Amino acid sequence: MSLTRRDFARSTAVTGAGVVLAGSVGALATAPQALAATDLDGAEDAHGHPGIGYGPLVPDPDGVLALPVGFSYRVVTYSGRTRLESGESTPSNHDGTAAFAGPRGAVLLVNNHELKGPRADWEHPVPLTEGLVYDPAAAGGCTVVEVRRDRVAEWVGVAGTSTNCAGGSTPWGTWLTCEETEDRAGQNGMTKDHGYVFEVDPADHRANRAPKPLKALGRYAHEAVVVDPKRGHLFLTEDASGPNGLFYRWTPPEGFHHGRGRLRTLADDAGVLQAFRCFDSGGRFVDDLSRATRTGTVYGVDWVDVPDRDAATVPVRKQFTDGQVTRARKLEGMWWGDGGVYVVSSYAREESPVQHDGQVWFYDPRRRTLTLKVLLGTGGTLDGPDNITVSPYGGLVIAEDGEGAQHLFGATDSGRTYPIARNELNIGTEAAPEYSEFTGVTFSPDGHTLFANIQQPGIMLAITGPWKRQRRG
């Protein structure tokens, strides 16, 4: 049953702040002033109380990762230096990652490699391992990394896919890798259509053979996906422009039960794929998420059926006219937590009604509301949030993909930010330094290790230290 604009207006009038405060992370930032340098330095607050976080970042003599005192990192994989079990180099351009409990205390990580276009364009593409290839012309895919105290092993999970971006883990212990492209067979050297989601099982090599695109989830520039463990819905983001991308929900067919490999059994048109449509407390349609200029903004959400999910002739986002759906620029990473979906819009520029340097929203599936949790105003200290995870120590950990310095930063429930790491690997020149984005931020199952990637050249890092629960500030 859809949530009507009248229903939403009535519920906000009755419940008031109870709707605004849905979700336990709370409003995490407002304008640039909310991201003050004192927060980033972990200094004392205005009342002389110890600052949040772990203190200032200490430069790394090896020029890789600045961390607070007491923290350390370990290089897990490094494209061009470390090797797969089959002997080839670790592929480059690390992106979305999730961690799973492996056998005998090991941690299994599935790591996307965001490689677009033909294999000849890349020095270290994902190797074409026999039986694991979708399109032999494509350079992307993902690898599985097994981390033990004294050993690291890496092998191919799926190959021959393209532009594998954020993706997402499932409650049944698999990884959904997302292609952020709309290339069809014959475009950019591809021999098959792309823009799909594929399932990868980190614990079962045989389950990954003969990769099958999950066409029921649609063909478009997929970014990330999360699973509602209670209702069985899948939520998906689209990172696209001209026009801006959409936020989707896939409802499984009646009687379907999730589990390892079950998505592969579905028909191409199984279930219902829908795009969201937002309206404010006055019942007014919201055309773009950039319209929200204050944290705590709450929109009601309805869902509109996608006419042609495989985009046979028209891209999915272009199948809707103005006024049918709500759009947003750079819909990126997502994470399930606190009974709902945290979803990122990295920035908005001239293509959007209002400009900003990043938003994080929380979708509550029970209330069918979308609440703005983080808003980074233009010109602030931080910009371009991308991959995201919910921290076992409270609040969020966010990977930055912005201008200049790139950080991993935390945000407390009350809205203060603090640094966790800074990328110090200069891939530019001394005169014009350049620092790649962070990706794939995720904690180990026991919460002791924070894994994160430097996308270029492609480095997976394991960060350990005196983690502690962050006070609300």
Side-chain angles (χ1 to χ4, degrees), residues 3-218:
L3 178 68
T4 67
R5 292 187 293 273
R6 182 176 298 174
D7 291 338
F8 178 67
R10 185 184 301 117
S11 69
T12 54
V14 172
T15 58
V19 175
V20 174
L21 299 177
S24 66
V25 170
L28 293 172
T30 52
Q33 292 82 357
L35 301 167
T38 53
D39 286 344
L40 287 174
D41 292 338
E44 292 183 349
D45 63 20
H47 304 288
H49 299 142
I52 58 167
Y54 304 98
L57 302 177
V58 179
D60 178 9
D62 293 327
V64 177
L65 198 67
L67 293 168
V69 171
F71 282 78
S72 62
Y73 69 88
R74 171 189 179 190
V75 173
V76 180
T77 66
Y78 197 130
S79 182
R81 298 187 184 182
T82 58
R83 297 199 169 273
L84 307 183
E85 293 289 276
S86 51
E88 299 96 339
S89 169
T90 292
S92 63
N93 290 60
H94 295 27
D95 210 286
T97 306
F100 306 87
R104 297 179 295 280
V107 176
L108 293 173
L109 299 113
V110 187
N111 184 202
N112 278 353
H113 298 277
E114 191 180 16
L115 300 165
K116 181 178 176 63
R119 302 180 61 77
D121 290 352
W122 301 96
E123 183 179 2
H124 300 297
V126 177
L128 298 178
T129 302
E130 184 179 358
L132 301 178
V133 180
Y134 170 64
D135 180 353
C142 63
T143 53
V144 181
V145 182
E146 183 182 65
V147 179
R148 298 182 181 275
R149 182 172 299 179
D150 58 350
R151 182 177 182 271
V152 173
E154 184 178 16
W155 57 87
V156 173
V158 67
T161 54
S162 177
T163 327
N164 298 72
C165 211
S169 62
T170 70
W172 51 92
T174 63
W175 172 251
L176 298 176
T177 184
C178 296
E179 293 188 305
E180 188 194 330
T181 180
E182 297 174 291
D183 285 348
R184 306 212 70 150
Q187 293 180 314
N188 291 324
M190 300 296 98
T191 65
K192 291 186 177 181
D193 291 347
H194 290 268
Y196 295 115
V197 178
F198 295 78
E199 186 170 23
V200 176
D201 192 326
D204 186 352
H205 297 258
R206 294 170 299 179
N208 299 326
R209 298 189 66 82
K212 179 182 178 182
L214 305 179
K215 293 187 176 182
L217 304 182

Side-chain angles (χ1 to χ4, degrees), residues 408-470:
L408 295 176
F409 64 96
T412 69
D413 291 351
S414 64
R416 297 185 65 188
T417 60
Y418 58 93
I420 296 173
R422 182 179 63 248
N423 177 11
E424 296 196 324
L425 184 64
N426 182 5
I427 59 174
T429 65
E430 185 175 353
E434 181 182 351
Y435 301 93
S436 178
E437 66 181 279
F438 279 109
T439 64
V441 57
T442 185
F443 277 92
S444 59
D446 63 9
H448 294 164
T449 303
L450 177 65
F451 293 96
N453 307 314
I454 296 175
Q455 188 178 68
Q456 296 181 40
I459 306 173
M460 179 184 287
L461 302 161
I463 302 169
T464 54
W467 302 110
K468 63 181 180 180
R469 187 153 194 90
Q470 297 297 318

Side-chain angles (χ1 to χ4, degrees), residues 122-333:
W122 301 96
E123 183 179 2
H124 300 297
V126 177
L128 298 178
T129 302
E130 184 179 358
L132 301 178
V133 180
Y134 170 64
D135 180 353
C142 63
T143 53
V144 181
V145 182
E146 183 182 65
V147 179
R148 298 182 181 275
R149 182 172 299 179
D150 58 350
R151 182 177 182 271
V152 173
E154 184 178 16
W155 57 87
V156 173
V158 67
T161 54
S162 177
T163 327
N164 298 72
C165 211
S169 62
T170 70
W172 51 92
T174 63
W175 172 251
L176 298 176
T177 184
C178 296
E179 293 188 305
E180 188 194 330
T181 180
E182 297 174 291
D183 285 348
R184 306 212 70 150
Q187 293 180 314
N188 291 324
M190 300 296 98
T191 65
K192 291 186 177 181
D193 291 347
H194 290 268
Y196 295 115
V197 178
F198 295 78
E199 186 170 23
V200 176
D201 192 326
D204 186 352
H205 297 258
R206 294 170 299 179
N208 299 326
R209 298 189 66 82
K212 179 182 178 182
L214 305 179
K215 293 187 176 182
L217 304 182
R219 193 184 71 80
Y220 48 88
H222 285 272
E223 175 72 28
V225 56
V226 298
V227 181
D228 181 337
K230 181 177 180 180
R231 299 164 187 84
H233 294 133
L234 272 65
F235 296 93
L236 308 105
T237 49
E238 179 183 28
D239 182 0
S241 60
N244 284 345
L246 305 176
F247 182 45
Y248 298 92
R249 181 184 73 178
W250 178 79
T251 302
E254 186 176 354
F256 178 78
H257 298 286
H258 284 295
R260 274 186 144 87
R262 292 283 297 148
L263 288 170
R264 289 171 56 117
T265 69
L266 290 168
D268 293 348
D269 60 352
V272 179
L273 183 66
Q274 299 170 304
F276 80 151
R277 172 185 169 90
C278 296
F279 44 90
D280 64 20
S281 59
R284 294 175 291 270
F285 168 69
V286 179
D287 63 337
D288 194 283
L289 291 186
S290 67
R291 297 285 187 189
T293 58
R294 296 182 62 183
T295 54
T297 297
V298 182
Y299 294 144
V301 176
D302 258 342
W303 297 96
V304 183
D305 290 357
V306 170
D308 173 21
R309 73 182 80 186
D310 203 49
T313 57
V314 178
V316 172
R317 70 185 182 283
K318 295 182 180 181
Q319 295 172 23
F320 299 97
T321 60
D322 292 343
Q324 283 188 292
V325 291
T326 300
R327 302 182 183 277
R329 182 71 173 103
K330 294 292 292 181
L331 286 170
E332 297 271 5

Side-chain angles (χ1 to χ4, degrees), residues 22-25 225-231 233 235 247 333-343 360-371 373 388-390 396:
S24 66
V25 170
V225 56
V226 298
V227 181
D228 181 337
K230 181 177 180 180
R231 299 164 187 84
H233 294 133
F235 296 93
F247 182 45
M334 292 193 291
W335 204 268
W336 180 269
D338 302 320
V341 184
Y342 290 96
V343 56
V360 180
W361 294 84
F362 179 79
Y363 176 67
D364 185 333
R366 183 177 65 86
R367 299 187 182 193
R368 288 173 289 175
T369 56
L370 190 72
T371 303
K373 298 292 188 177
I388 189 171
T389 191
V390 174
L396 302 172

